Structure formats: C-alpha cells, structure tokens
C-alpha cells in the first residue's frame, strides 16, 4: 500500500511530495507565465498606463509568481493543526477585508466593480483570499460539528448564516463569481462531512432558485444571460466578449495558429490576459493546447481528492476536508472559467487558477496548494510512524 501512496526518490527512498500534484502545479504556473505575456503584449504596447512597455504584464506576473512560490514554501512549513486553530480568525480577517473594500475612499473600483484594496503599487482582492479562508473555516466548522451534521438547526444553519453574510458583501461589490465559488466550497465540504442527504438535496434546490432570483432582479446579470444564449444577436454589445472568444476557438482548430500569432488578442478580445486567457490558448495552440490545460487541472483535482481520502483514512478529518475543499475550489473555478470561454456558461469575472494575470489570485492559489502538499506530507509522515 505504501508503494501506491508514495513515489520513489533516489535509491528507493520514499518521496516527501506527491510528484503528480507538484509538477502539474508548477507546469500550469510556467505555462501561464508564457501565455500571459503572449496575450498581453499588444495591450501593453498600446497603453500609456504601461508606458508602452511590451513586457509590462509579464514582469508583474513573474513577480506575482515568485512571491506566490516564496509564500508557498513558507506556508508548507506550518502544520495543519496550526491552520485549524487560526481558521476562525482568518475568516474574520477576510470578512473585515470584504467590508473595507466597500468603504468610500478605501476600496478601488474598476469597470464598475469595487473589489480591490490599493496597497501601493499593487491591489489586493480580498475575495481571492476569502476563498482560501472559506475552505479552512468550513473544514474546521464541519470537523467540530460532525455529530450534528444530520440537524438543520445545529449543523447547517450556523454556517449558512455566516456564508450568507459573506455572500451579501460579495454581491455588493459585485462579485457573483466569487460568491458562487465560495458557496460551492461550503456546500461541498458539508456534503463530504456527512450532511443529511435529503437536507442537502433540498438545499441545492433552494440555492438554484436563489441564483435564478439573483440573476432576475439584476438587469446587468439578465443581459449577460441573454447575451450568452445568443451572442451573435448583439455581437457588438452584450455578446461582444463571448463572440470573440468563440472566434478565437474557431481559428485555433486542432493545433492553433502558433504561439504569439493570435489575432483576437489585438484589442478584439477584452481581458485577454485575465478572464479570457484560455481563448488565447485555444487560438494559438488549438484543441491540444486546451486539452493539455484541462488534463493538468483534472490531475490536480484528482490528487486533491486522493490526498483528502488518505487523510480521512488516517483519521485526520480536518486535513482531509481541507484537501478536498481545495480540490473543489480549484476544480469549480477552473470549470467556470473554461465554461465561460467556451460559451457553455454566462460571462463571469473569474480568472483561470494558477494561470491568469492577477497577484491576489496567484498568491491565494499557491498558498492553498502548499497547504494541500502539507496535508500529503503529513499523511506520509504518519504512515512511516512519525508524529507530525
């Protein structure tokens, strides 16, 4: 069994890390670095804000990746029991940051959304950190409430109230995409923690109805839905982003037009280096480039699930729920971003994890995956009989 759970290193010594997790993560980070440069070069050269420097976004993204990797190395040293102790306090910090974003003259507004806190040369997006804090807090809450998971009042209701408060702040920004991801994280961890099946099914129905109401009462969300259903009806208005993303996919065909040769990134496709990075990948590297990205994300989610199950088998409930919660987060956000790029889902402001330009997202992703590697490391230590 040990042979299946660890890989070999050197002369048959068991590895300290899951190579099938570590290398896909590093691969996506490096691939993202290349594609962010390719997708942003025209925008950077044509903008006075960047000083017309073609490598402006590349340099900033490289700095974000380096900072994220350094943070990951530091975070990996912290035992899971410490994260469990800090989880409620981190959640409170995240809540306060979400409140601060909405304060006049404190939060920064871009394209009508107030989601950022200016910190000198960089902007902090609290919703990205809140995804991580939601994983840690929901796992801690579920671990403490395992005996009450069958009860709506004692098991589900307290966490639901807290998440609704967070959701209210996110919808005020507005950041509907982050709200959906955090709801999926909380519900997924509750499900894995053993919440009553009938209660869970009823809650899913209520949540779906709630999403429909939130979309219906918001004019700009309704417009996005109508634009998604037929982007060509108003290709220069509501369907502009999606129509150009679909053109990029169509031009890429099987093997793409070549790295750097995208036409859509030349001021046609908005947010090419952030929300629509996958469309540029599709145009330049084709079907096989997109398939490679999907396969790497699928491998990360699969390894998170396996590591979580191993932790649960070792009676490490909190660690197991954190690992699987991180897998849910990365999987759901990647699925939504890819679905938006391919025209399978309405347009949402969610980046592609580990790849899209953005400091807060890269930092949160690197820290989360370092915690996942720590769960795996502690599993291996315990299987060797070493106390962690």
């Amino acid at each position: 069994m040990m042979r299946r759970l660890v890989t070999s290193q050197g002369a048959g010594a068991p590895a300290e890390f899951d190579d099938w997790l570590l290398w896909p993560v590093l691969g996506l980070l490096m691939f993202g670095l290349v594609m962010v440069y390719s997708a942003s070069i025209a925008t950077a050269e044509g903008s006075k804000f960047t000083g017309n420097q073609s490598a402006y976004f590349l340099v900033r993204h490289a700095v974000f990746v380096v900072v994220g990797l350094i943070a990951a190395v530091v975070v990996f040293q912290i035992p899971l029991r410490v994260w469990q102790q800090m989880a409620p306090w981190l959640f409170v910090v995240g809540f306060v940051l979400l409140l601060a974003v909405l304060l006049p003259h404190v939060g920064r507004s871009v394209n009508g959304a107030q989601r950022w806190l200016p910190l000198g040369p960089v902007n902090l997006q609290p919703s990205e950190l809140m995804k991580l804090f939601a994983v840690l807090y929901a796992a801690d809450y579920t671990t403490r409430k395992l005996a009450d998971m069958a009860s709506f009042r004692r098991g589900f209701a307290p966490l639901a109230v807290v998440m609704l408060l967070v959701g209210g702040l996110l919808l005020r920004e507005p950041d509907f995409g982050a709200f959906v991801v955090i709801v999926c994280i909380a519900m997924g961890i509750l499900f894995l923690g053993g919440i009553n099946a009938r209660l869970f099914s009823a809650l899913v129905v209520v949540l779906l109805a709630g999403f429909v109401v939130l979309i219906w009462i918001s004019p700009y969300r309704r417009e996005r839905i109508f634009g998604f259903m037929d982007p060509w009806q108003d290709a220069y208005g509501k369907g502009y982003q999606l129509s150009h993303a679909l053109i990029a996919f169509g031009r890429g065909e099987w093997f793409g037009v070549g790295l750097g040769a995208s036409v859509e990134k030349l001021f046609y496709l908005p947010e090419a280096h952030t929300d629509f990075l996958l469309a540029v990948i599709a145009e330049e590297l084709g079907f096989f480039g997109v398939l490679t990205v999907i396969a790497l994300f699928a491998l990360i989610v699969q390894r998170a699930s396996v590591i979580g199950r191993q932790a649960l088998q070792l009676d490490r409930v909190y660690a197991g729920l954190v690992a699987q919660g991180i897998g849910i987060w990365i999987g759901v956000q990647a699925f939504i971003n890819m679905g938006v790029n391919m025209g399978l889902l309405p347009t949402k402001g969610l980046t592609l994890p580990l790849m899209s330009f953005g400091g807060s997202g890269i930092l949160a992703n690197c820290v989360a995956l370092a915690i996942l590697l720590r769960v795996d490391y502690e599993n291996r230590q315990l299987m060797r009989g070493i106390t962690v």
Side-chain angles (χ1 to χ4, degrees), residues 27 29 47 50 57 59 85 115 135 156 202 210 225 241 270 273 278 301 319-320 324 331 336 350 369 373:
L29 282 171
S47 172
T50 64
F57 292 105
V59 172
Q85 293 166 359
R115 303 175 184 174
V135 170
F156 172 78
I225 292 293
Q241 288 177 307
H273 57 299
L278 189 71
V301 173
Q324 294 181 333
I336 292 175
L350 278 176
L369 289 162
L373 282 166

Side-chain angles (χ1 to χ4, degrees), residues 345-370:
L345 295 171
T347 304
K348 285 308 312 154
L350 278 176
T351 55
L352 190 59
L354 296 169
M355 298 189 73
S356 292
F357 177 82
S360 301
I362 291 292
L363 177 62
N365 294 159
C366 288
V367 169
L369 289 162

Side-chain angles (χ1 to χ4, degrees), residues 234-258:
D234 188 9
Y236 293 99
K238 296 189 292 289
Y240 183 80
Q241 288 177 307
L242 180 53
S243 61
H244 281 281
L246 293 176
I247 290 171
F249 271 85
R251 292 192 74 244
E253 297 185 349
W254 289 99
F255 298 103
V257 297

Side-chain angles (χ1 to χ4, degrees), residues 90 137 139 256 318 345:
L90 290 173
Y137 178 73
Y318 177 73
L345 295 171

Side-chain angles (χ1 to χ4, degrees), residues 70-382:
I70 292 173
V73 171
V74 173
V75 164
F76 179 78
Q77 313 302 320
I78 303 174
L80 261 293
R81 65 176 182 274
V82 176
W83 287 110
Q84 186 170 8
Q85 293 166 359
M86 295 193 304
W89 301 107
L90 290 173
F91 193 81
V92 170
V93 169
F95 190 84
V96 171
L97 290 175
L98 289 179
L99 277 173
V101 164
L102 300 174
L103 295 177
H105 311 298
V106 176
R108 183 186 176 194
S109 179
V110 178
N111 295 330
Q114 193 162 332
R115 303 175 184 174
W116 294 269
L117 291 172
L119 300 176
V122 298
N123 294 313
L124 175 68
Q125 189 171 356
S127 60
E128 292 293 342
L129 299 181
M130 196 61 185
K131 295 169 189 174
L132 172 61
F133 299 159
V135 170
L136 298 173
Y137 178 73
D140 174 54
Y141 176 87
T142 304
T143 302
R144 289 185 283 106
K145 295 282 188 174
L146 282 177
D148 298 320
M149 280 295 103
S151 168
F152 175 84
R153 183 175 61 85
R154 296 190 305 274
F156 172 78
L159 182 62
V161 170
V162 171
M163 291 301 172
L164 284 174
L165 290 173
V166 170
L169 294 178
L170 289 170
L171 292 175
R172 288 276 296 169
E173 295 183 4
D175 195 347
F176 189 66
F179 174 59
V180 171
V181 172
I182 288 174
V183 167
C184 288
I185 290 170
M187 293 296 291
I189 290 176
L190 281 174
F191 177 77
L192 294 168
I195 192 171
N196 181 277
R198 284 186 298 179
L199 174 59
F200 183 81
S201 300
L203 292 171
V204 169
V205 172
V206 171
L207 281 173
L208 291 174
F211 286 142
V212 170
V213 171
L214 286 172
I215 291 169
W216 188 255
I217 64 176
S218 175
Y220 87 93
R221 291 193 187 107
R222 286 205 310 271
E223 288 181 5
R224 283 188 171 184
I225 292 293
F226 294 143
F228 154 73
M229 294 173 67
D230 186 4
W232 307 109
Q233 186 179 21
D234 188 9
Y236 293 99
K238 296 189 292 289
Y240 183 80
Q241 288 177 307
L242 180 53
S243 61
H244 281 281
L246 293 176
I247 290 171
F249 271 85
R251 292 192 74 244
E253 297 185 349
W254 289 99
F255 298 103
V257 297
L259 184 62
S262 167
V263 171
E264 286 301 313
K265 70 184 182 185
L266 303 178
F267 304 103
Y268 294 104
L269 184 62
E271 311 296 340
H273 57 299
T274 55
D275 298 355
F276 285 91
L277 186 66
L278 189 71
V280 177
I281 294 172
E283 187 178 2
E284 296 190 346
L285 303 177
F287 171 77
F288 285 101
V290 174
L291 189 62
T292 299
V293 172
I294 293 174
L296 290 174
F297 275 111
L299 187 54
I300 290 172
V301 173
Q302 187 267 344
R303 296 314 302 164
S305 176
V306 169
I307 291 169
R309 288 202 306 271
Q310 290 172 0
L312 293 173
Q313 289 169 1
L314 293 168
D315 201 26
R316 304 179 64 230
V317 178
Y318 177 73
L321 292 177
V322 166
Q324 294 181 333
I326 291 171
I328 291 170
W329 166 18
I330 300 297
V332 167
Q333 184 163 333
F335 174 79
I336 292 175
N337 178 273
M338 292 175 185
V340 167
N341 276 253
M342 297 178 189
L344 302 175
L345 295 171
T347 304
K348 285 308 312 154
L350 278 176
T351 55
L352 190 59
L354 296 169
M355 298 189 73
S356 292
F357 177 82
S360 301
I362 291 292
L363 177 62
N365 294 159
C366 288
V367 169
L369 289 162
I371 293 173
L372 179 57
L373 282 166
R374 178 70 194 193
V375 174
D376 176 62
Y377 171 79
E378 291 187 5
N379 287 349
R380 295 167 189 258
Q381 296 299 97
L382 287 173

